[in-house]
Amino acid sequence: MLTEEISGLIIRSQSGFFAVQTANGELTCHLRGRLKQGKHVGDIAAVGDRVLVTRQSEGMGSIESIEPRSKALVRLDPRPQGVYQQVILANPDQAVFVFACARPEPHLRMLDRYLVIAGRQGLPAVIVANKIDLVGREQAVEKFGFYPEIGYPVIYACAKSGEGTDELHQLLKGKISALAGPSGVGKSSLLNAIQPGLGLAVNEISEAFQKGRHTTTVRQLFPLKDGGYVADTPGMRSLALWDTEPEELDGYFPELAPLVAHCQFSDCNHKTEPGCAVRAAVEAGTVRPERYDSYLRLRAGEE
Ligand SMILES: Nc1nc2c(ncn2[C@@H]2O[C@H](COP(=O)(O)OP(=O)(O)OP(=O)(O)O)[C@@H](O)[C@H]2O)c(=O)[nH]1
Ligand SMILES: [Mg+2]
Ligand SMILES: [Zn+2]
């Protein structure tokens, strides 16, 4: 007799086991042997993958098939037998980047790098500017206010007072979100403000990650009570721009992308060439020098 296949979502992975959320509860699953056959250059199944499973015994099951991923956050892991593609998160709907207005000072070049990574993976990105209590809204807008103009919404928040947390909650609802940001900016505090205990749970997982146990670490999607999941993605920084060609990079700077067609030379590097439309825009003040600087540094392969 054939066992019935049921659909589910991988919400946790640890040491070759997967927790799959189905309509009838959670099953701890392993991968069917045939899925592992052949040569693999990356994770076969990952958190965020939609799968078909069969129930084996009480609470246990097998993953029979994996739906093709729409997109994935991938981290390259150099191994002796070649570079391995670790899937940090499959099928994310959006990236949410949390920075603090102060303590720690926002490192906007890092944010720009994150934005390129999100763009590269086809992910809409939203910025959360937290700790507005430390600088006041006006100064916060001075720092982050130009991002919406180039296509990245900003939520101004204070985990302490709860300001902006409803807006963040609305953003996360019903979606799979990859959350990232430097340490100490208030990611856990914001999640706790949205749902008590959520930040704490996320912290435990991300601490294990930061201890460097990248290959054995647990990855997890945290469910929101009213639908949707958040995944902490502490490895965001190491999500290399590996296969990004320098010429391709301007495509991930929304304010630069439309300019390059107007450069005098089609192979313009936007550095010293005459008739460069990008540099002209920087000089005219329509492109922010900081963003241009981020662009040049990323293009040069800097971190
Ligand atoms: N003044 C102020 N402090 C905040 C705010 N949000 C968080 N904090 C404080 O900032 C510190 C770091 O907050 P966390 O929530 O642990 O930061 P995190 O981003 O989760 O940090 P990691 O887990 O290390 O990545 C804590 O002492 C919080 O109390 C805020 O809106 N205003
Ligand atoms: Mg935290
Ligand atoms: Zn140019």
Side-chain angles (χ1 to χ4, degrees):
M1 196 192 93
L2 275 176
T3 333
E4 190 197 359
E5 289 190 343
I6 43 180
S7 63
L9 173 74
I10 299 179
I11 58 168
R12 185 178 163 99
S13 82
Q14 183 173 20
S15 321
F17 283 91
F18 301 91
V20 176
Q21 184 69 54
T22 75
N24 310 318
E26 208 177 297
L27 291 176
T28 302
C29 299
H30 64 270
L31 278 179
R32 272 282 185 228
R34 64 181 150 75
L35 293 177
K36 292 187 257 187
Q37 278 164 13
K39 198 171 176 289
H40 291 283
V41 292
D43 291 333
I44 301 162
V47 157
D49 270 326
R50 282 173 263 274
V51 294
L52 287 176
V53 297
T54 50
R55 192 185 294 273
Q56 305 298 326
S57 57
E58 195 51 48
M60 303 294 287
S62 297
I63 295 177
E64 304 290 341
S65 62
I66 302 153
E67 278 183 37
R69 289 173 193 136
S70 62
K71 48 188 89 143
L73 287 176
V74 174
R75 179 179 172 277
L76 293 194
D77 188 18
R79 293 181 182 178
Q81 60 275 37
V83 176
Y84 184 86
Q85 297 191 17
Q86 263 186 352
V87 177
I88 292 186
L89 181 60
N91 305 311
D93 291 309
Q94 61 186 359
V96 179
F97 300 131
V98 184
F99 279 75
C101 296
R103 275 189 257 159
E105 274 310 302
H107 186 356
L108 295 187
R109 221 165 46 228
M110 188 194 290
L111 172 56
D112 289 340
R113 182 185 167 83
Y114 284 177
L115 293 172
V116 168
I117 290 167
R120 182 80 185 62
Q121 318 251 357
L123 275 186
V126 177
I127 300 161
V128 177
N130 190 36
K131 306 199 189 187
I132 54 170
D133 56 313
L134 296 179
V135 300
R137 184 171 279 266
E138 206 170 308
Q139 250 200 62
V141 172
E142 239 166 68
K143 281 186 209 249
F144 292 93
F146 73 92
Y147 280 105
E149 290 168 24
I150 57 172
Y152 305 107
V154 176
I155 294 177
Y156 294 95
C158 173
K160 268 194 174 159
S161 69
E163 215 173 326
T165 55
D166 280 346
E167 210 181 323
L168 179 60
H169 194 173
Q170 287 307 319
L171 175 78
L172 300 177
K173 231 185 228 179
K175 300 202 182 93
I176 295 183
S177 306
L179 190 75
S183 181
V185 296
K187 298 181 296 294
S188 302
S189 309
L190 285 167
L191 292 176
N192 278 335
I194 286 172
Q195 188 169 302
L198 180 59
L200 210 70
V202 173
N203 237 6
E204 279 171 20
I205 301 289
S206 81
E207 266 163 27
F209 185 92
Q210 275 151 15
K211 283 186 187 130
R213 290 181 267 134
H214 291 226
T215 48
T216 54
T217 196
V218 186
R219 295 200 188 282
Q220 191 162 341
L221 280 179
F222 295 91
L224 295 165
K225 287 206 172 70
D226 41 10
Y229 294 89
V230 235
D232 195 20
T233 46
M236 200 65 160
R237 264 189 94 168
S238 55
L239 290 182
L241 297 163
W242 41 291
D243 54 351
T244 311
E245 298 296 327
E247 311 81 72
E248 190 191 333
L249 192 60
D250 47 55
Y252 306 116
F253 280 76
E255 74 273 49
L256 304 188
L259 298 174
V260 299
H262 302 289
C263 292
Q264 188 178 327
F265 299 103
S266 62
D267 60 350
C268 184
N269 289 320
H270 321 304
K271 265 159 58 183
T272 52
E273 293 82 352
C276 172
V278 171
R279 248 193 21 258
V282 176
E283 276 151 28
T286 50
V287 163
R288 291 185 56 109
E290 295 86 349
R291 288 276 295 169
Y292 177 59
D293 187 48
S294 288
Y295 168 77
L296 288 181
R297 283 169 188 268
L298 283 172
R299 194 174 162 127
E302 271 181 50
E303 287 298 299

